Amino acid sequence: MAIEVAKVELKTVQDASGLEQKIAQGAFTADQVIAVIGKTEGNGGVNDFTRILADQAFRRVLLKLGKRNEAEVAKIPMVWSGGCDGVITPHATVFAKTPATGRPTASRLTIGTTMSAELLPEDIGRPAMVEKVAEGVKAAMRDAGIDDPNDVHYVQTKTPLLTIDSVRDAESRGKHVACEVHDSMGVSNGTTALGIAVALGEIEMPKAEQICKDLDLYSSVASCSSGVELTQAQIVLLGNKPGAGGRYRIGHAVMRDALDIDGIYDAIRSAGLNLPERPRAEDLHGRVVNCFMKCEADRRGTLRGRRQIMLDDSDVHHHRHSKAAVGGVAAAAIGDPAVFVSVDAMHQGPQGGGPVIAIVDLGE
């Protein structure tokens, strides 16, 4: 079963016409869709309802045009990242499993999905969460048919964050949480990334005091998001597998800082495209389906030796600064503003930088 990949634009907050069009054109059927990863145009915060609206719109299309029931469609992993700051275009990347076959020796894109064990409020920011996520990642590898962690190039997750109610729940059981509610998005993301890194052998199991503190520990393939709508880690794992079929390959690299355009081209090379030494968007010849990256402001307040003010800005949150900046660099690199850029990148790539993943269409 091969993976088909399509990027569609969101023309409004509740628009899923791009998905409908791909189904109508025969790219895949509604029942073959297995995952969606998208950007919506809200504020990217806890109360960003554009993620919910987009999610509902896409699931309605799958219900209308497919044979799966509501419960089955509800289980399809859909990861929505809010905030299209700067030039980023709202869009979704749709993944479907089709009957296409390929050469047994050709390594092509494959996907595995799973849900982790229940994550309790008191697990967030602690070793228990690292361990539960790591086990979930290993299960997703098995689902993808991948044995070698080196063949994994992208792990997209959605995990719970803290709310007042979940904090009270923990306290009612005599437990205490590791952080404040408003800090829990970054802490949940960072702890999840460490779980991914442990599962893939990128790092050893961290000590409790290293979690969200020792930023030299990171995963180069993790892209972690969190929200209030679930109590487990939703894991979508992408890699390459010989004989998987299809036309697509995936690769990854890291951006060392917000200006590291070479990191983006390194990810594209890793996915299988041959590029000149100093590439431009025109050299990609439309083969890049999408790039996915994480970023955040460098906590040292510098960029290539120059002072940065985004962490001191009281009017615009530093997440919005960094997302807009990296989105501009990525859009220039591939010649397309529909790029997936997400913030809160603790333990996801080096400090001040982040992972960058590329999916390319090899045409065969």
Side-chain angles (χ1 to χ4, degrees):
M1 298 292 285
I3 302 297
E4 180 67 29
V5 191
K7 182 165 65 177
V8 299
E9 185 176 331
L10 274 62
K11 301 182 187 304
T12 67
V13 178
Q14 300 185 74
D15 174 52
S17 62
L19 173 61
E20 287 196 69
Q21 186 177 26
K22 289 294 181 182
I23 294 170
Q25 292 171 344
F28 45 78
T29 70
D31 290 332
Q32 289 172 339
V33 173
I34 58 169
V36 177
I37 300 173
K39 290 293 301 181
T40 66
E41 60 203 77
N43 60 24
V46 174
N47 65 338
D48 183 350
F49 300 111
T50 66
R51 296 180 298 221
I52 297 173
L53 295 172
D55 190 273
Q56 291 173 342
F58 273 65
R59 293 187 196 276
R60 278 196 301 268
V61 168
L62 298 182
L63 272 172
K64 181 177 72 172
L65 300 181
K67 297 179 181 179
R68 287 180 285 193
N69 61 37
E70 192 168 348
E72 290 170 325
V73 169
K75 292 180 180 178
I76 299 169
M78 293 192 185
V79 179
W80 298 99
S81 171
C84 287
D85 303 88
V87 300
I88 299 172
T89 296
H91 70 282
T93 305
V94 182
F95 300 88
K97 265 188 180 176
T98 75
T101 58
R103 290 177 287 131
T105 55
S107 186
R108 294 293 183 266
L109 178 65
T110 184
I111 296 179
T113 63
T114 194
M115 298 291 284
S116 77
E118 195 82 3
L119 293 168
L120 301 173
E122 60 268 26
D123 292 339
I124 296 174
R126 295 192 169 122
M129 185 174 186
V130 176
E131 292 168 350
K132 290 178 181 180
V133 169
E135 287 305 310
V137 170
K138 292 175 183 177
M141 282 182 63
R142 292 191 293 271
D143 187 57
I146 294 176
D147 299 318
D148 187 349
N150 291 321
D151 289 329
V152 177
H153 294 278
Y154 183 21
V155 183
Q156 177 68 59
T157 63
K158 192 70 178 285
T159 51
L161 45 71
L162 294 177
T163 64
I164 295 299
D165 287 340
S166 64
V167 171
R168 287 175 176 168
D169 170 65
E171 291 174 345
S172 73
R173 294 180 283 103
K175 305 294 183 180
H176 297 284
V177 297
C179 63
E180 298 291 333
V181 168
H182 285 291
D183 295 329
S184 66
M185 181 177 288
V187 171
S188 181
N189 291 353
T191 312
T192 301
L194 291 177
I196 294 168
V198 168
L200 300 180
E202 295 180 284
I203 63 169
E204 298 295 327
M205 181 68 191
K207 299 175 183 177
E209 60 269 23
Q210 291 178 295
I211 297 173
C212 299
K213 296 290 193 299
D214 185 353
L215 300 184
D216 288 332
L217 301 179
Y218 63 82
S219 170
S220 61
V221 300
S223 178
C224 306
S225 181
S226 51
V228 298
E229 65 270 28
L230 72 177
T231 57
Q232 298 164 274
Q234 177 180 267
I235 301 169
V236 182
L237 180 145
L238 297 87
N240 297 314
K241 177 185 174 184
R247 311 190 313 268
Y248 303 93
R249 257 183 73 87
I250 188 169
H252 79 276
V254 294
M255 293 179 73
R256 294 293 168 184
D257 59 33
L259 299 179
D260 187 12
I261 196 169
D262 289 334
I264 298 172
Y265 290 128
D266 285 343
I268 294 169
R269 288 189 182 96
S270 170
L273 285 192
N274 292 319
L275 299 177
E277 184 177 351
R278 297 301 303 168
R280 300 185 303 166
E282 291 80 3
D283 298 316
L284 306 180
H285 302 295
R287 294 288 193 183
V288 174
V289 180
N290 207 358
C291 285
F292 306 81
M293 55 207 71
K294 293 289 290 191
C295 65
E296 66 178 10
D298 194 314
R299 297 177 184 216
R300 295 164 292 198
T302 61
L303 177 58
R304 301 198 178 182
R306 298 291 194 182
R307 185 171 72 95
Q308 297 285 285
I309 57 86
M310 62 181 77
L311 291 168
D312 296 321
D313 193 336
S314 298
D315 298 311
V316 180
H317 195 277
H318 60 86
H319 284 172
R320 311 201 75 159
H321 279 287
S322 57
K323 194 187 305 177
V326 173
V329 172
I334 70 171
D336 183 358
V339 289
F340 185 93
V341 182
S342 176
V343 289
D344 256 338
M346 190 187 305
H347 295 308
Q348 297 153 76
Q351 185 176 180
V356 52
I357 295 96
I359 296 176
V360 304
D361 184 347
L362 295 178
E364 61 176 2

